[in-house]
Amino acid sequence: MERTRILVTGGAGYIGSHTCKALSAVGFEPVTVDSMVRGHEWAVQWGPLVKADIRDVDAMTATFEKYRPAAVIHFAAFIEVGESVADPATFYDNNVWGTLCLLRAMQRGNCPNIVFSSSAAVYGTPEQTPIREDHPLNPINPYGRTKLMMEQIMADFDPAYGTHHVALRYFNAAGADPDGGIGEAHNPETHLVPLAIGSALKTRGHLKVFGQDYDTPDGTCVRDYVHVSDLAQAHVASVRYLLDGGKSTALNLGTGTGNSVLEIIEAVHRAGGVAVPYENAVRRAGDPARLVATSTKAQSVLGWEPKYTDIDTIVQTAWRWHLSRKDA
Ligand SMILES: O=c1ccn([C@@H]2O[C@H](COP(=O)(O)OP(=O)(O)O[C@H]3O[C@H](CO)[C@H](O)[C@H](O)[C@H]3O)[C@@H](O)[C@H]2O)c(=O)[nH]1
């Protein structure tokens, strides 16, 4: 029997590739569409790769005609906050215009269901933590604004065109597939866990700890690190939810536990048995002191619960990946 196809934009990226693996494991066929500007050929292992930019409406229309997907999972976007401040035009073009082009191609292809990557960045500086989905939406940088605009565009499209969406607001994705073979490989890398591992392995210089005087127990920023395989499972559950006729919704994905930068440094030390050389540095602009999610809504809507709730396990999977990675 033909497997139900799911079109995955950005399927050659970090969370996208883990989601393709999870889709395939439960019988879907993931069809990756990726411009390969940031994606990796080695990360596409569970279905075909269409090398195309989502803004290329002709290529996208042809892809929908060829594969007839039942739903789309939309990861393709630029993600670095600093880059979005320096070059907002590129972010609005790639993230917002790219999403509009994708939605147009979905309309032409009669595909009404989309699950997409939103971000904790839509909340801005939290008024209280843990953050619930009804927290005010006040992004403080262009990256966060592009994600909020994407949510708003989809909310407008639903009543007008009969579409359905699930916006997944991730907190800090971390870790790697425990089976090996895929993991986090951004270039340039700006995320804490891979940078700390690189410093421990001496493939990078000292890690810079951005700010030591935050209002947190040890003075460094606290984040909610959620395992990438758990995020992947939430995407699979969201696809099933929409295919079963579920209503559009926005859901936080986090573990509900916060870890400081210094706690991550210690977890990397424990995982690898090597200390992370680090130095204190000034605060990074736009970093809130504490970002921690409540994911009870994802639990009630999707039945989703993170399997990896222990920071040591999350960091161990990242460590193993970094020792084995193909492009290090
Ligand atoms: O070299 C570094 C890198 C990071 N940090 C600190 O480590 C924490 C985590 O930083 P990351 O850059 O790994 O993650 P962010 O919380 O900044 O970013 C997350 O949220 C962003 C939106 O706010 C984007 O979605 C991004 O992709 C996602 O990982 C922050 O407190 C940051 O200040 C350091 O101290 N040193």
Side-chain angles (χ1 to χ4, degrees):
M1 212 181 70
E2 206 174 69
R3 294 190 294 164
T4 303
R5 295 199 188 98
I6 309 297
L7 195 136
V8 184
T9 77
Y14 174 42
I15 308 173
S17 58
H18 288 77
T19 299
C20 287
K21 181 178 180 185
L23 285 167
S24 172
V26 296
F28 291 109
E29 182 181 21
V31 177
T32 290
V33 174
D34 203 300
S35 66
M36 303 308 280
V37 172
R38 303 274 159 102
H40 306 281
E41 301 265 355
W42 51 255
V44 184
Q45 303 179 24
W46 295 277
L49 167 64
V50 178
K51 221 184 241 189
D53 192 302
I54 54 171
R55 293 166 295 188
D56 181 344
V57 175
D58 290 342
M60 293 303 287
T61 303
T63 304
F64 276 94
E65 267 169 22
K66 180 170 178 192
Y67 292 103
R68 309 218 155 276
V72 170
I73 308 183
H74 178 32
F75 294 100
F78 286 159
I79 60 164
E80 300 304 345
V81 172
E83 230 177 54
S84 81
V85 175
D87 186 11
T90 300
F91 271 67
Y92 287 109
D93 190 338
N94 199 46
N95 295 7
V96 180
W97 176 238
T99 298
L100 266 173
C101 294
L102 171 66
L103 291 170
R104 280 281 190 218
M106 287 174 64
Q107 276 178 310
R108 293 206 184 97
N110 292 318
C111 179
N113 301 309
I114 180 164
V115 176
F116 90 102
S117 308
S118 186
S119 169
V122 297
Y123 298 115
T125 306
E127 289 169 11
Q128 78 277 330
T129 57
I131 301 172
R132 289 160 37 118
E133 288 82 353
D134 55 8
H135 183 283
L137 302 172
N138 286 317
I140 55 167
N141 51 57
Y143 164 75
R145 280 189 280 276
T146 66
K147 290 288 169 178
L148 180 55
M149 284 177 196
M150 289 158 71
E151 289 197 15
Q152 291 167 331
I153 289 168
M154 288 187 209
D156 287 340
F157 272 45
D158 282 353
Y161 308 121
T163 50
H164 303 280
H165 70 274
V166 176
L168 296 176
R169 296 175 181 159
Y170 318 145
F171 282 64
N172 286 61
D177 178 18
D179 300 336
I182 49 173
E184 188 168 12
H186 296 115
N187 188 17
E189 189 55 80
T190 62
H191 294 110
L192 178 62
V193 173
L195 289 177
I197 291 173
S199 296
L201 290 171
K202 303 272 188 296
T203 54
R204 296 179 185 275
H206 280 45
L207 179 76
K208 288 189 164 57
V209 175
F210 296 144
Q212 302 77 42
D213 56 352
Y214 284 100
D215 184 16
T216 58
D218 67 20
T220 65
C221 285
V222 169
R223 294 288 179 274
D224 183 333
Y225 295 89
V226 52
H227 195 276
V228 65
S229 300
D230 282 326
L231 292 181
Q233 291 305 332
H235 290 80
V236 175
S238 298
V239 163
R240 286 183 159 148
Y241 168 80
L242 288 180
L243 295 182
D244 287 345
K247 286 198 313 230
S248 293
T249 189
L251 305 171
N252 285 345
L253 297 177
T255 64
T257 305
N259 286 106
S260 71
V261 175
L262 292 180
E263 284 172 342
I264 295 298
I265 288 173
E266 284 157 21
V268 170
H269 187 167
R270 284 192 295 275
V274 194
V276 177
Y278 69 89
E279 61 201 33
N280 291 336
V282 294
R283 288 183 176 199
R284 189 172 67 177
D287 269 342
R290 186 178 156 81
L291 276 179
V292 178
T294 291
S295 304
T296 45
K297 190 174 169 195
Q299 191 180 345
S300 65
V301 173
L302 301 178
W304 178 82
E305 261 189 283
K307 189 170 131 197
Y308 300 92
T309 50
D310 168 36
I311 194 64
D312 280 313
T313 316
I314 294 174
V315 170
Q316 279 157 15
T317 63
W319 180 272
R320 282 202 301 275
W321 155 252
H322 281 274
L323 289 185
S324 72
R325 69 181 263 201
K326 298 168 178 70
D327 60 344

